[in-house]
Amino acid sequence: MTEKTAITPDTHTTPPARFSHGVRKGNILQVAGQVGFLPHVDGQAPTPAGPTLREQTLQTLENVRSVLEAGGAGWDDVMMIRVYLTDTDHFAEMNALYNAYFEEQGLKEAPAARTTVYVGLPAGLLIEIDALAVLG
């Protein structure tokens, strides 16, 4: 049986509860829901990348990428992405940002994806993204 390995990149804070930013078991890597916090700075509370959907979406995607890379994966290994928005009016803008980001990343094949509206994010946060990757 393959052991589970918790993944926390240097850019991320230690989770505030008993969970991991990512978990790898064998060739499967699950990235937990990431938000648009800037890279961790010792002694400072997590800080959103900015107040706009654009700033937070791009930072959130980079935070997911950081967990993927720390777990030995990349965007081409991702099978499923789930996006959670706090406002239905953000769908079109998020889709445009998402498409442009993955075009810049040179993604060969798009993963399956699901976007939903979820209003339970901490104040000021507009987006959360998680991903499932299969390596090899």
Side-chain angles (χ1 to χ4, degrees):
M1 202 90 210
T2 306
E3 293 292 317
K4 290 192 304 186
T5 302
I7 309 294
T8 299
D10 294 338
T11 55
H12 287 54
T13 61
T14 300
R18 192 161 168 79
F19 68 87
S20 302
H21 288 289
V23 174
R24 181 170 174 180
K25 185 170 182 172
N27 68 336
I28 297 174
L29 173 60
Q30 176 66 56
V31 178
Q34 301 295 302
V35 294
F37 287 141
L38 293 169
H40 172 66
V41 175
D42 285 336
Q44 290 185 7
T47 305
T52 69
L53 182 66
R54 176 182 179 75
E55 292 165 312
Q56 289 189 28
T57 298
L58 296 177
Q59 185 63 54
T60 300
L61 288 164
E62 285 301 302
N63 291 344
V64 172
R65 186 180 60 76
S66 293
V67 177
L68 288 168
E69 289 179 355
W75 286 117
D76 283 318
D77 298 307
V78 174
M79 302 296 294
M80 179 68 178
I81 293 177
R82 285 178 290 270
V83 178
Y84 304 91
L85 297 172
T86 59
D87 189 332
T88 56
D89 290 339
H90 291 162
F91 272 97
E93 182 180 359
M94 190 284 300
N95 283 338
L97 293 164
Y98 178 97
N99 289 340
Y101 178 86
F102 284 118
E103 186 173 319
E104 290 173 12
Q105 298 298 308
L107 189 65
K108 294 175 190 161
E109 294 293 334
R114 177 174 196 269
T115 303
T116 190
V117 174
Y118 174 72
V119 295
L121 294 177
L125 294 177
L126 305 173
I127 187 168
E128 180 177 334
I129 299 174
D130 69 55
L132 176 65
V134 178
L135 292 76

